[in-house]
């Protein structure tokens, strides 16, 4: 009986993880589109909102670096890329 309850209680976590992964995939796509469209302010804003919820998400740090690099802000880009590498070498 305990194992059945434990199995049920862990199932919502898996669903939540799947939902978060799907949402993050959509946001990554939106950020990449914003960068491609030279809409850096929107890209940076979206990334900062993601990082507010998922500060260890290396892809978000990399995308932030991409946005800053395309704006020729080399110091901010280097910092963002460094943050990405610290999280996912």
């Amino acid at each position: 009986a305990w194992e059945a309850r434990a199995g049920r209680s862990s199932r919502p976590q898996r669903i939540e993880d799947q939902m978060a992964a799907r949402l993050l995939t959509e946001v990554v796509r939106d950020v990449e589109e914003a960068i491609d469209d030279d809409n850096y302010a929107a890209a940076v804003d979206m990334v900062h909102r993601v990082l507010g919820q998922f500060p260890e998400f290396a892809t978000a740090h990399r995308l932030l670096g991409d946005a800053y690099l395309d704006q020729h802000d080399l110091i901010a880009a280097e910092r963002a890329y460094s943050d990405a590498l610290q999280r996912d070498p």
Side-chain angles (χ1 to χ4, degrees), residues 3 22-23 30 33 54 56 63-64 71 74 79 83:
E3 291 173 348
R22 187 171 303 139
L23 290 172
D30 291 346
E33 279 184 26
F54 304 96
E56 297 302 312
L63 289 168
L64 189 59
Q71 296 178 83
L74 302 181
R79 184 175 44 242
D83 289 343

Side-chain angles (χ1 to χ4, degrees), residues 48-65:
H48 280 292
R49 284 188 279 144
V50 167
L51 290 173
Q53 294 294 313
F54 304 96
E56 297 302 312
F57 187 42
T59 300
H61 290 280
R62 180 190 53 81
L63 289 168
L64 189 59

Side-chain angles (χ1 to χ4, degrees), residues 19-42:
M19 289 174 60
R22 187 171 303 139
L23 290 172
L24 287 173
T25 299
E26 291 175 17
V27 171
V28 165
R29 190 175 321 123
D30 291 346
V31 171
E32 289 171 338
E33 279 184 26
I35 291 171
D36 289 344
D37 293 341
D38 298 334
N39 191 351
Y40 304 114

Side-chain angles (χ1 to χ4, degrees), residues 1-12 14:
W2 180 83
E3 291 173 348
R5 283 193 305 263
R8 278 196 306 257
S9 67
S10 66
R11 186 169 186 209
R14 284 185 273 155

